[in-house]
Amino acid sequence: MHELSIAMEIVRQVTEIARQHHAERVDEVEVQVGVLRQVQEEALRMSFEAARDGTPAQSARLVVIEEPIEAECQDCGRRFAPEPDNFICPGCGQANARIVAGNDIILKSLVCQASDEAAVS
Ligand SMILES: [Zn+2]
């Protein structure tokens, strides 16, 4: 269940950031999840709730933002949104694209009680 390891990593980062900011409590955690990671939001939520016990994020709200896939053509430099099984460039017709977005899991921001907002991106 890979959502659990993702959730544990999120909680680890959140705990570290909360400590750096001397925050007692984290109210909101915003995470951007690339669609290519095939994370089930519901499973991630449940894992997050299990993983955060005893941390400053214990009562935090989890906000999940889906990041769409974006590819960049290596031949003409065009950026486009490919289908998962079709990476042919709409500009030049070459299948020589590189994924530039949609494959990451990023902790976007936290809302902590002690500080207003800690941007971590
Ligand atoms: Zn191209």
Side-chain angles (χ1 to χ4, degrees):
M1 188 174 164
H2 85 139
E3 280 84 1
L4 184 58
S5 55
I6 293 167
M8 286 169 73
E9 177 58 21
I10 292 168
V11 169
R12 193 189 65 76
Q13 289 184 27
V14 167
T15 305
E16 201 176 300
I17 293 160
R19 196 178 297 139
Q20 284 166 10
H21 290 263
H22 306 288
E24 284 171 25
R25 203 182 73 207
V26 177
D27 290 329
E28 191 177 286
V29 176
E30 193 176 277
V31 182
Q32 181 173 301
V33 177
V35 292
L36 287 172
R37 299 299 289 261
Q38 299 185 312
V39 168
Q40 305 222 331
E41 189 177 327
E42 223 21 67
L44 182 60
R45 240 169 241 292
M46 284 169 60
S47 301
F48 178 73
E49 280 166 21
R52 70 186 180 176
D53 250 9
T55 76
Q58 199 152 271
S59 58
R61 197 163 73 91
L62 181 68
V63 179
V64 179
I65 302 164
E66 197 172 78
E67 182 192 43
I69 312 174
E70 193 180 19
E72 186 181 83
C73 177
Q74 302 289 278
D75 289 331
C76 70
R78 178 161 170 163
R79 285 193 173 208
F80 59 100
E83 298 295 318
D85 56 350
N86 176 13
F87 284 79
I88 293 171
C89 173
C92 68
Q94 296 300 307
N96 188 18
R98 181 173 70 93
I99 299 288
V100 291
N103 200 23
D104 300 308
I105 292 170
I106 302 164
L107 187 56
K108 290 284 282 183
S109 70
L110 299 182
V111 179
C112 301
Q113 202 193 30
S115 56
D116 289 343
E117 184 159 338
V120 293
S121 57

